[in-house]
Amino acid sequence: MSVDEVLELLQRRMTDGTFIRGTISQPRLKSNETKRIKMKPLELKGEFYIQFEYQHERILKHENIALDDIAVPLQEALEAYKQFHIELTDETIQIQLSKKMKVSIKRIFLDTEKTVDYAHNRKKHYALTEGTPYPFLVRLGVQTPEGKVKNQKHDKFRQINRFVELIDDTLSHLPQDRPIRILDFGSGKSYLTFALYHYLRIEKGLDIRVTGLDLKKEVIEECQVIAQDLQYDQLEFLVGDINEYEGDTAVDMVVTLHACDVATDMALAKAVTWGASVILSVPCCQHELFSQLQSPALDVMLQHGLVKERFAALATDSLRAELLSLVGYEAQLVEFIDMEHTPKNILIRAYRNDRQPDQAQIARYAAFRDMLNAKPFLEKELQPRLGFLPGSNTI
């Protein structure tokens, strides 16, 4: 099959009402800023589209393409990427393109047809469904024993489901041939720690060992009792400080949710030291940069305390993501939950790729840091790995 025939096949199958989802990956050029493209069908105001989600190292971009117009982005993708995975109601199509554009195609036909979900801006499809009782949610007071979400817990239920979606996205980055080690720093009441364990261990059947760490002894003791009662034998809770934890030398996933100010940086530095494959962090109370900010070019904005506080939080997380990318991670800032529910809605998601930064990236970070007169705590913690960074030894 030629590339033109592949284009015709994809265009036809993705517009005939049978397309469920697709992934385009393996860029031909390392310089390609878009590392992966995900696609899904949408219905908006009675019109049908294919949504293209372009996944860059640090951001996601979405574009809704009308069915009659998808030939152009598909043609561009065929020229720029090597691998296509297309799921349809009646078959799965896997396409591999060689360096010389030789086509290898595998089509797996299904015995039972699937259905297409065009839902968008409608009722959200959750990984954990309301009406199904989950023992950990019942024990934590989110659900009734019958599976109904309590009136005051709908936002929490929504947050838990969003977290499960993010966990699901990490599966391809976790080891498949050995137990998976996961640490949750600042686990608190552990809604999300229990959700993580339930999804990976109970629903996905993975061999995992999870530790939740927090300073609040009473909360930790309560969570440990719940874990034992639910027979979550690979989940433990310990009282301890992020910076003093020395229980592991290698960890696969580090989660830190709402660790205050530089406690987030301590956890990120620990994750890097352990060589964690996945880092998920929702920062909180980013005070450090607020007192350091000194940039005459930004005075129009920084003269307002409220604006300065918000800018400092955004700049702090941008610096954190960039520092992670400088030490071998693909780091993104993604939305955790909608702003209407909490202002703490940014999650730092980082996947280890061991890529060495180029000089342009190094210079970009240093210029931004110096413009703000910033002395990031995380840069200091990672200094042994940042010897190439101008001015890092003075932080």
Side-chain angles (χ1 to χ4, degrees), residues 122-341:
R122 301 178 184 174
K123 185 176 180 181
K124 179 72 174 179
H125 173 72
Y126 289 135
L128 305 178
T129 57
E130 185 170 0
T132 300
Y134 298 95
F136 77 97
L137 289 180
V138 174
R139 284 295 302 269
L140 293 172
V142 176
Q143 286 183 316
T144 67
E146 295 73 34
K148 181 180 179 180
V149 177
K150 295 182 179 179
N151 291 334
Q152 69 274 27
K153 294 294 185 180
H154 280 283
D155 285 351
K156 178 60 67 176
F157 184 73
R158 183 175 179 277
Q159 182 195 52
I160 290 169
N161 267 287
R162 173 59 176 149
F163 183 66
V164 169
E165 289 179 3
L166 293 166
I167 292 297
D168 186 71
D169 288 342
T170 71
L171 293 180
S172 62
H173 298 272
L174 295 172
Q176 307 294 319
D177 56 349
R178 60 173 175 78
I180 301 168
R181 184 73 177 103
I182 301 173
L183 287 178
D184 183 353
F185 285 125
S187 55
K189 294 184 178 180
S190 302
Y191 293 100
L192 302 183
T193 320
F194 279 105
L196 179 153
Y197 185 89
H198 169 86
Y199 187 71
L200 294 181
R201 178 68 173 170
I202 308 301
E203 299 209 5
K204 292 297 182 179
L206 299 181
D207 185 1
I208 62 175
R209 187 164 72 90
V210 182
T211 297
L213 187 75
D214 201 276
L215 288 171
K216 302 181 184 69
K217 181 179 179 181
E218 298 79 6
V219 174
I220 286 295
E221 290 176 347
E222 180 181 354
C223 291
Q224 185 63 34
V225 169
I226 294 174
Q228 292 172 349
D229 290 348
L230 296 177
Q231 297 183 354
Y232 286 1
D233 54 356
Q234 295 298 312
L235 172 61
E236 65 175 356
F237 293 92
L238 302 175
V239 177
D241 180 81
I242 290 174
N243 203 36
E244 296 177 357
Y245 181 80
E246 301 292 344
D248 289 88
T249 58
V251 176
D252 299 301
M253 178 190 291
V254 171
V255 178
T256 168
L257 304 174
H258 301 129
C260 189
D261 202 20
V262 296
T264 291
D265 300 299
M266 295 176 187
L268 295 177
K270 284 279 190 181
V272 172
T273 300
W274 287 322
S277 299
V278 176
I279 302 172
L280 298 175
S281 176
V282 178
C284 183
C285 308
Q286 300 95 324
H287 297 311
E288 180 198 17
L289 186 56
F290 184 87
S291 61
Q292 299 175 1
L293 275 176
Q294 186 178 346
S295 179
L298 300 176
D299 279 351
V300 170
M301 178 171 59
L302 301 182
Q303 65 180 319
H304 305 288
L306 176 63
V307 175
K308 182 179 179 181
E309 181 181 6
R310 292 183 180 179
F311 175 79
L314 293 172
T316 298
D317 292 338
S318 298
L319 288 166
R320 286 166 169 163
E322 198 69 13
L323 282 166
L324 288 173
S325 71
L326 290 174
V327 294
Y329 283 82
E330 176 186 335
Q332 300 172 333
L333 300 180
V334 301
E335 185 180 63
F336 183 30
I337 52 178
D338 290 343
M339 186 71 81
E340 65 186 87
H341 297 291

Side-chain angles (χ1 to χ4, degrees), residues 367-386:
F368 184 64
R369 176 201 64 193
D370 295 344
M371 180 191 72
L372 301 177
N373 192 43
K375 298 176 175 58
F377 185 89
L378 181 58
E379 183 178 331
K380 179 181 178 181
E381 292 292 292
L382 296 177
Q383 203 279 328
R385 300 169 182 265
L386 294 170

